[in-house]
Amino acid sequence: MTEQHLPVWADPSVPPADLDAQGVSRRGLLRRAGLFGAAFALGGAATPAAAAAGRGHGGDDPCLAYLVGDHHVHSVYSHDAKYTFAQQARAAARYGLDWMVFNEHSNFGHAAYGAALEHKEILKARAANPRQLIFQGLEWYIPAAEHCTVFAAPGPHEVDLLTRFELAYDGKLLGYTEGAAGAADTARNEAHAVRAVKWLAEQRRSGYVDDVLVLANHPLRLGIDSPHELRGWRDAAPEIMIGMEGAPGAQGAALPGLRGTTSVRGEYENKPSAQSWAGYPADAYLTYGGFDWATATVGGLWDSMLAEGRLFSITTNSDNHRTVLDTWKNGDWPAGRNFDNTGRLPDPVDTDTAQPGSDFWPGQFSRTHVGVTRYGYRAVMTGLREGRVWLDHGHLLDGLEVRLRREHGGGRGVTLGGRLRVRRGERLTLDITVTTASRPNPQGILPELAHVDVIRGAVRGPVSDRDAWKAPDTRVAHTTDVSGRKGTYTLRVPLTVGEESFYVRLRGSDGNRHGTGYLGASVDPHGPVPHEPGDGDPWADTWFYSNPVFVDVVG
């Protein structure tokens, strides 16, 4: 594998004077985690076992540094995209990404030609950008459902794995797209999706690849990812199918005056169809503060899955195909050439004139932060699998550290994605350490966090109805007004353990747009709301979300 170099902000040989304000802030967070320099640089050999060795005494989770990434980026190897690897990598570096996944659309041309050609460019991109972790992936058309990101750890079989998977399990290539309730092929197609996840798990178990992960993309955009399908994929191999996009890409789709009066952030502009799951309300097809309804609804679909006591992570990303107000257009095809017989689009051409687009560059607006103990590909995948994840839009925060511990003698405690075993009546403290934005974001705005919400839900175990999408015992339990606070500060929220196991997760925003949550004010009095069609400036409505921490009551 290509030698990896630390990101500039994490490299002790780079003087602080050469860093921007964001880099200085991130270096400070890294030092505080005790991972600066050689301790962090060993990441090329980091494995799950090595990460586990970093855990503190008494079951404490390790100190973490957070790497910023995007698992949903397209290039000329997707039939409907535009940019070269070099353009995407330069943009990602400019906006501070440490890792990214090129997950090209499955396609006949991609399977026959593009994947192998793409891999050669992936190797070149890794060599040309040694301070970035660049994964090769695939945007899988799930049989009977939507899309997923599938990506593997670098190694001798990474492209073979993806190509074999594409040919054997892709719904579009196989014609396994039917998903309507009661249709003749739906049961077969849904079962094939489950077999696909199990097949990936077997490739990891056998050592054919070091690691592989799957994340569902834009789950409610078309309403065709039913609750039972999401649960089925997760249950088939929870170490492989680890979560979903909490917020889709295409966040620039509703910039005023850009795409028309009906445009919606995320391009969530659809209505229920015959393929949609009938149990979703019409409002489920919208975004709320830019987030998918499944995530944004307190007590909704994501919470109903967490209430089973099983981790299911969320992410956010660019889904970059065509950047808003960019001046590049697709190049022209030579005579007789097309995507099906080449697997690659012609290089784009700069026109000096703004072109249509809905997306931001990787890292420009949407960021997924993954907690790691070492720097490297497998470390990022381990952090994602273990749920050490928080997200922000608009560079709302520089840092977020979460620890749940016993009030007395609790040590460092557990963090995002973790579990704390306690007894009834114990008192816990949720420590939320926020580092506010230290510089203007790419839009020229210095983001300001207005509030932090603690959302708490009871854990009731597996559901009897696999299509359940409500968690009736989940609600906003605590809100802290942090308007005007700057720098790094810690909120300490007391929690009391009752009879039931539970989980807590976090949310917060710039405070610009709020309303009663979808399931009512008693559940969520000031949650995200849909914008007016055609008037969804994303920079004026930014949020952060975190993964949950679970509390298991044992007696």
Side-chain angles (χ1 to χ4, degrees):
M1 190 195 313
T2 301
E3 181 184 0
Q4 295 163 17
H5 297 255
L6 289 174
V8 171
W9 59 272
D11 187 344
S13 70
V14 178
D18 290 348
L19 302 176
D20 62 14
Q22 176 84 358
V24 171
S25 178
R26 294 186 71 190
R27 181 170 289 189
L29 294 170
L30 189 65
R31 286 186 184 276
R32 194 166 73 212
L35 295 173
F36 193 58
F40 201 48
L42 296 175
T47 64
R55 294 182 183 275
H57 298 293
D60 287 353
D61 279 356
C63 291
L64 301 173
Y66 282 86
L67 298 180
V68 183
D70 185 326
H71 71 78
H72 196 164
V73 180
H74 294 273
S75 78
V76 290
Y77 290 97
S78 285
H79 66 280
D80 58 351
K82 181 164 58 171
Y83 304 109
T84 65
F85 277 21
Q87 287 175 297
Q88 295 285 29
R90 281 196 300 269
R94 181 164 70 249
Y95 295 116
L97 287 196
D98 303 305
W99 61 273
M100 62 192 299
V101 181
F102 284 98
N103 70 322
E104 312 297 356
H105 284 292
S106 62
N107 190 285
F108 293 104
H110 181 264
Y113 306 102
L117 294 172
E118 177 193 353
H119 187 62
K120 293 178 181 178
E121 288 208 45
I122 285 276
L123 297 178
K124 292 178 183 178
R126 288 171 182 160
N129 302 278
R131 293 185 184 273
Q132 291 178 315
L133 304 171
I134 300 175
F135 294 89
Q136 182 168 359
L138 173 75
E139 186 155 24
W140 172 37
Y141 289 69
I142 314 164
E146 258 276 11
H147 301 167
C148 274
T149 292
V150 181
F151 68 104
H157 298 133
E158 59 181 313
V159 68
D160 295 329
L161 173 94
L162 295 172
T163 301
R164 290 171 60 196
F165 179 80
E166 183 175 8
L167 292 171
Y169 294 105
D170 189 77
K172 181 169 74 172
L173 270 60
L174 295 173
Y176 283 18
T177 57
E178 180 61 65
D185 292 335
T186 296
R188 178 202 64 183
N189 296 348
E190 291 186 358
H192 201 66
V194 169
R195 281 195 294 272
V197 176
K198 290 181 177 178
W199 184 85
L200 289 171
E202 179 55 33
Q203 308 318 301
R204 179 173 180 258
R205 279 193 297 269
S206 70
Y208 186 70
V209 289
D210 287 338
D211 209 350
V212 61
L213 293 175
V214 180
L215 288 150
N217 295 337
H218 35 73
L220 267 293
R221 182 181 64 169
L222 300 173
I224 62 177
D225 287 3
S226 65
H228 73 261
E229 286 174 288
L230 285 164
R231 287 184 167 99
W233 309 331
R234 176 202 63 188
D235 295 350
E239 75 281 12
I240 302 298
M241 179 64 194
I242 61 169
M244 64 183 180
E245 287 181 359
Q251 288 287 321
L255 281 166
L258 189 65
R259 291 180 62 250
T261 58
T262 61
S263 56
V264 175
R265 283 172 70 178
E267 295 185 355
Y268 272 44
E269 299 160 9
N270 303 287
K271 303 296 182 184
S273 71
Q275 299 296 314
S276 304
W277 183 66
Y280 290 135
D283 294 330
Y285 294 78
L286 301 173
T287 51
Y288 292 68
F291 278 72
D292 189 292
W293 175 87
T295 294
T297 300
V298 175
L301 178 54
W302 185 36
D303 284 316
S304 77
M305 297 181 72
L306 298 180
E308 294 182 75
R310 305 185 67 177
L311 178 64
F312 198 67
S313 292
I314 56 169
T315 60
T316 185
N317 46 67
S318 63
D319 192 2
N320 184 274
H321 290 73
R322 300 174 182 276
T323 303
V324 293
L325 304 179
D326 187 51
T327 59
W328 294 80
K329 75 175 185 68
N330 288 105
D332 295 326
W333 287 105
R337 308 295 279 173
N338 56 49
F339 195 88
D340 284 343
N341 62 31
T342 64
R344 187 191 193 280
L345 297 170
D347 283 351
V349 177
D350 194 353
T351 67
D352 294 322
T353 302
Q355 300 294 305
S358 299
D359 311 326
F360 291 110
W361 290 112
Q364 183 180 3
F365 183 77
S366 302
R367 303 188 301 177
T368 296
H369 305 252
V370 179
V372 300
T373 57
R374 300 287 187 269
Y375 180 72
Y377 287 94
R378 282 177 285 170
V380 168
M381 298 182 83
T382 296
L384 286 166
R385 174 175 288 108
E386 296 193 2
R388 298 168 177 164
V389 175
W390 64 274
L391 341 168
D392 70 341
H393 279 169
H395 296 221
L396 180 58
L397 300 178
D398 275 7
L400 180 70
E401 179 69 23
V402 180
R403 295 280 164 176
L404 182 63
R405 57 183 175 82
R406 292 175 175 84
E407 188 177 85
H408 301 293
R412 195 165 56 241
V414 299
T415 190
L416 303 175
R419 313 189 78 93
L420 187 66
R421 291 169 60 86
V422 301
R423 296 188 178 278
R424 288 191 298 271
E426 282 198 70
R427 294 183 178 179
L428 310 177
T429 300
L430 181 65
D431 290 341
I432 307 164
T433 299
V434 173
T435 300
T436 60
S438 58
R439 65 168 181 177
N441 63 24
Q443 188 68 3
I445 300 166
L446 179 63
E448 297 186 15
L449 183 66
H451 63 96
V452 175
D453 302 326
V454 177
I455 296 165
R456 177 170 174 165
V459 170
R460 296 286 173 79
V463 292
S464 56
D465 177 5
R466 301 278 287 178
D467 274 323
W469 66 262
K470 291 183 182 179
D473 296 300
T474 299
R475 55 189 29 82
V476 176
H478 184 90
T479 294
T480 302
D481 185 340
V482 296
S483 301
R485 300 189 70 168
K486 303 291 184 182
T488 298
Y489 56 85
T490 298
L491 307 175
R492 291 188 166 87
V493 179
L495 300 174
T496 300
V497 178
E499 298 289 326
E500 291 185 299
S501 298
F502 64 96
Y503 66 91
V504 290
R505 61 179 180 89
L506 304 179
R507 182 190 71 182
S509 84
D510 56 18
N512 288 332
R513 285 180 57 84
H514 291 93
T516 300
Y518 188 76
L519 294 179
S522 62
V523 173
D524 186 7
H526 55 266
V529 294
H531 59 77
E532 291 297 320
D535 188 17
D537 182 355
W539 302 100
D541 184 17
T542 57
W543 293 75
F544 85 84
Y545 282 70
S546 85
N547 258 352
V549 184
F550 290 93
V551 177
D552 297 327
V553 179
V554 295

